[in-house]
Amino acid sequence: MSKHHGKHRRDRSPEETGASASQRDVSHRKEGSRGKDGSRGKADKKGEARRTGHRPPSSAHWAREAESRATAAGETIDPRLAPAAPGIVTVQPGTRCDLDAIDANTDGGLDKEEAKAALATERARIATLQERLYAEHKRSLLVVFQAIDTGGKDGTIRAVFEGVNPQGCRVWSFKVPSAEESDHDFLWRYHAKAPARGMINVFNRSHYEDVLVVRVKDLVPEPVWRARYDQINDFERMLAAAGTTVLKFFLHISKDEQKERLEARIANPDKHWKFDPADLVERRSWDAYQAAFADALTACSTPHAPWHVVPANRKWYRNLLIARTIADTLEAMDPRFPEAKAGIAGMTVPD
Ligand code: AMP
Ligand code: MG
């Protein structure tokens, strides 16, 4: 497994990476395709560029700006955060996330049965530490899962949190916003579900949807979703300052793997409830989603809340890496039972 250890540094310029080339293509396609929502088309933008001398930055330009902003400040991941389990690729703040360069299929050379046994050990660690966190009642943990359809968010949550006291753990799944949610700022519904002191909250999809599906499907004008990367970073910085450790996992699967998983859902009547024919339409936007994921992971991997990319084609490997990282994170938080009230040790209970 050690050969997969270590941080994956991405120092290549956007032009040198295949992912970025597709991002440029996507941004160009999108420029020509907007207009329904009142945002400007390509011709208008060119006109504005002539008048003002200012052109809105392309995806690649903007990604470079995001990188240099963080590196210029010399920011590195907060040393109080535990490193991710070896096998996970953590996006270093200020470096470009190149998903194409990360092998979704790896199993780290691990044996499946051994990994399952190791998962049980990690679950026990999480359960023990969760009790301390709950008893301490000072800090909290927010675990964010993002992935493409069939990426394995539901399965991960089921496997990793089995055995954790449900009283100290809440899972929130975010769907298409309701009318009430849409009437508020985009962070409103997520902030309301952030963990209280002592709690572990899990986001099955999250505030990142507002720079992912929203961007890919062109649900708001580009300047609106572009501004959200900074807004998300500010939101997470505020949570961290308030005592919430923010742990973000991107479940990285390959396009072939998604095909297999969709086919398996079609083949198994017990899985039909999970199959949405719209997933086939979404699959056509695979490249646009990958570009949106890469941009979000680049712009929002910060010293206080870095992104962790998990090779996720092998479910058992994915589960182990995530469980281990959560256990290590809780251990690094080092939650303590509160001090007992004086004199309890010698007390007797009256009949
Ligand atoms: P599922 O996770 O399969 O139950 O699907 C939930 C759906 O809600 C997915 O298609 C998401 O893309 C969609 N969704 C989640 N958050 C948002 C959002 N902020 N805006 C639009 N669609 C969203
Ligand atoms: Mg779905």
Side-chain angles (χ1 to χ4, degrees):
M1 201 154 84
S2 61
K3 67 180 185 290
H4 297 287
H5 192 184
K7 306 302 178 208
H8 189 96
R9 292 209 61 94
R10 291 170 206 84
D11 295 327
R12 288 178 290 166
S13 73
E15 285 79 4
E16 288 172 294
T17 65
S20 299
S22 68
Q23 270 153 17
R24 282 196 299 280
D25 293 342
V26 167
S27 81
H28 289 158
R29 273 202 305 279
K30 282 177 62 61
E31 274 179 28
S33 69
R34 263 181 292 102
K36 314 184 277 297
D37 54 11
S39 63
R40 294 178 303 247
K42 197 170 184 174
D44 279 358
K45 279 188 178 174
K46 278 191 172 161
E48 181 179 297
R50 265 196 306 275
R51 278 193 308 279
T52 64
H54 177 75
R55 281 170 65 89
S58 71
S59 236
H61 271 119
W62 177 82
R64 255 200 310 273
E65 193 185 300
E67 281 173 50
S68 61
R69 217 185 297 152
T71 39
E75 290 183 299
T76 51
I77 294 172
D78 186 334
R80 290 169 300 177
L81 299 174
I88 285 181
V89 176
T90 299
V91 181
Q92 297 300 309
T95 65
R96 181 90 197 122
C97 174
D98 179 4
L99 290 174
D100 287 347
I102 301 172
D103 179 10
N105 211 34
T106 182
D107 61 7
L110 281 193
D111 172 77
K112 184 173 175 177
E113 292 315 310
E114 280 175 31
K116 285 189 169 175
L119 173 62
T121 305
E122 300 302 341
R123 280 204 294 239
R125 288 178 68 210
I126 294 173
T128 304
L129 288 158
Q130 181 271 333
E131 190 185 359
R132 285 173 183 265
L133 185 77
Y134 187 83
E136 182 193 70
H137 197 73
K138 284 190 178 149
R139 292 162 300 157
S140 62
L141 177 65
L142 173 62
V143 184
V144 170
F145 290 110
Q146 283 295 161
I148 198 128
D149 291 326
T150 75
K153 301 180 296 297
D154 300 309
T156 301
I157 292 166
R158 196 170 55 237
V160 168
F161 292 95
E162 190 187 308
V164 174
N165 183 349
Q167 199 154 236
C169 184
R170 301 257 146 84
V171 180
W172 298 105
S173 299
F174 295 98
K175 313 281 180 185
V176 177
S178 67
E180 188 189 23
E181 288 168 343
S182 301
D183 279 348
H184 289 82
D185 70 85
F186 83 102
L187 287 170
W188 181 77
R189 66 174 181 159
Y190 308 104
H191 198 176
K193 306 302 185 201
R197 290 174 203 272
M199 297 296 295
I200 299 176
N201 282 18
V202 178
F203 281 5
N204 182 350
R205 301 187 189 268
S206 69
H207 41 299
Y208 283 92
E209 290 296 329
D210 296 81
V211 290
L212 294 168
V213 63
V214 166
R215 163 176 165 175
V216 171
K217 290 193 174 173
D218 222 354
L219 301 180
V220 299
E222 180 170 340
V224 174
W225 60 254
R226 251 185 213 293
R228 289 180 175 170
Y229 298 102
D230 284 343
Q231 292 160 356
I232 286 172
N233 288 344
D234 288 344
F235 171 57
E236 292 176 357
R237 189 183 298 106
M238 185 272 292
L239 290 179
T244 299
T245 298
V246 183
L247 195 47
K248 303 182 293 193
F249 295 107
F250 173 65
L251 312 184
H252 180 47
I253 62 163
S254 62
K255 196 174 181 188
D256 288 347
E257 179 69 19
Q258 189 193 50
K259 184 170 172 22
E260 278 183 30
R261 292 184 185 185
L262 287 170
E263 285 170 349
R265 285 181 186 181
I266 293 168
N268 181 354
D270 285 352
K271 296 283 179 198
H272 283 182
W273 69 275
K274 279 202 107 166
F275 182 79
D276 183 351
D279 290 349
L280 300 181
V281 181
E282 292 298 285
R283 181 172 160 80
R284 287 195 220 128
S285 303
W286 176 274
D287 289 346
Y289 273 107
Q290 295 300 304
F293 281 127
D295 271 0
L297 270 56
T298 297
C300 300
S301 201
T302 53
H304 49 277
W307 265 107
H308 302 295
V309 182
V310 185
N313 278 7
R314 320 280 185 123
K315 295 172 184 172
W316 51 271
Y317 185 55
R318 166 202 79 194
N319 293 342
L320 175 60
L321 295 185
I322 291 171
R324 186 164 282 163
T325 304
I326 293 172
D328 288 350
T329 298
L330 285 166
E331 198 167 86
M333 288 171 76
D334 193 18
R336 309 281 176 100
F337 288 121
E339 218 158 286
K341 295 183 182 70
I344 290 183
M347 281 184 178
T348 54
V349 181
D351 293 336

